[in-house]
Amino acid sequence: MQWLTDEDLRNWAKRTDARELFVDMVGDLIRATVSDITKFRFPGQSAGTLRGFDGELEVDTSVTASRVPVGPSVWEFGTTSAGKAKADGDYKKRTEKTPANVRKERAFVMLNLHNWDTPRDPLTIWQAEKNAEGKWREVHFLDGTVLQKWLEEKPAVAARYARNVLNKAPRNGALSTDEFWEFFSDGFKPKLTEDMLLAGRADEAKQLLEVLSGGPRNFTIAAENAEEVIAFAKEHG
């Protein structure tokens, strides 16, 4: 389920709460993406009043995750536009104010709720040019299109902001698959694991995958209650 689109993100950028809550949202996405975090500073609702970078992160070098650089990184957020002129200005400002030895050790990640809007200067080319300069260890730019995809990959985070911030989903009665599993598994002591739920159900799981990969057809799953059926379908479907 797509909880938020890139258009939703652009419309959100017009609101006064976007700047601060954008930091919170990305912080939540990072925590949902990587686990070996050794430093995490994303002040969120206080970002507008604090000096320095909007975010500072360090993850263990053994971790590899899409959109989250390994090692130390600094993060800069924007909500007004996403194009070459804006990106060049922010890049220049942060580069000039950051000592060379710090830059050589860190990745610089820029984010914006808007899509990159300079067709004659593609984002991939801009990013490659900045990396070629060698002023930072790495340079990344995540625009609205990339953020929308990231949210799609982390539905629990997307659902939370769609429901509580952008009012794109009902506050009650609709859960992402990740939210449902968290709710269902927490009802057991000790907490239910995926392996335990699927134990002894290899044949049923195989049948479910065959159904989902084929054309439309009816398929019955029986369990003690509806919640267990949904959990089984979520974990193996």
Side-chain angles (χ1 to χ4, degrees):
M1 178 176 178
Q2 187 179 68
W3 292 89
L4 295 170
T5 66
D6 54 355
E7 182 179 1
D8 293 327
L9 298 179
R10 290 195 302 273
N11 290 334
W12 182 29
K14 302 173 185 177
R15 290 171 30 179
T16 56
D17 65 351
R19 172 69 179 177
E20 297 171 349
L21 294 180
F22 182 21
V23 180
D24 288 334
M25 184 184 75
V26 173
D28 290 342
L29 284 171
I30 290 171
R31 285 190 291 261
T33 302
V34 296
S35 56
D36 289 344
I37 297 174
T38 55
K39 181 177 182 179
F40 184 93
R41 178 187 176 276
F42 286 79
Q45 296 187 31
S46 301
T49 60
L50 295 179
R51 294 183 178 181
F53 287 98
D54 297 330
E56 295 182 54
L57 179 71
E58 186 167 351
V59 299
D60 189 272
T61 53
S62 66
V63 175
T64 55
S66 175
R67 306 180 189 91
V68 181
V70 298
S73 58
V74 291
W75 298 60
E76 186 77 2
F77 294 80
T79 59
T80 55
S81 65
K84 186 177 185 303
K86 168 67 172 170
D88 280 343
D90 290 346
Y91 174 86
K92 182 175 184 294
K93 179 182 69 174
R94 285 303 186 185
T95 300
E96 290 177 348
K97 292 184 177 182
T98 306
N101 63 314
V102 175
R103 289 189 271 111
K104 288 292 184 179
E105 296 176 351
R106 287 164 173 73
F108 182 29
V109 185
M110 305 173 68
L111 310 94
N112 200 293
L113 288 173
H114 292 270
N115 295 337
W116 184 268
D117 64 357
T118 316
R120 293 184 180 179
D121 299 286
L123 175 53
T124 53
I125 300 299
W126 182 90
Q127 187 170 276
E129 289 175 347
K130 295 304 181 241
N131 276 291
E133 291 180 3
K135 294 181 178 180
W136 295 84
R137 195 191 80 222
E138 302 172 41
V139 177
H140 302 272
F141 193 107
L142 310 182
D143 71 345
T145 300
V146 177
L147 289 167
Q148 183 272 319
K149 181 63 176 177
W150 197 358
L151 286 162
E152 187 176 320
E153 294 170 2
K154 303 300 175 184
V157 177
R160 189 180 313 137
Y161 284 85
R163 180 183 301 115
N164 299 326
V165 178
L166 279 78
N167 298 318
K168 292 286 294 183
R171 291 184 178 270
N172 299 299
L175 296 174
S176 70
T177 54
D178 285 354
E179 286 177 315
F180 178 83
W181 172 250
E182 197 67 26
F183 167 79
F184 181 76
S185 60
D186 279 344
F188 296 83
K189 302 297 179 184
K191 183 175 180 178
L192 184 68
T193 66
E194 297 174 14
D195 290 339
M196 187 179 298
L197 175 68
L198 300 176
R201 294 171 167 173
D203 290 341
E204 290 82 356
K206 182 179 178 181
Q207 286 181 289
L208 177 60
L209 290 175
E210 290 175 352
V211 170
L212 294 175
S213 61
R217 55 177 287 194
N218 292 327
F219 182 72
T220 301
I221 303 176
E224 292 185 2
N225 52 61
E227 287 76 13
E228 187 175 350
V229 171
I230 298 172
F232 173 76
K234 186 268 177 189
E235 289 305 317
H236 214 80

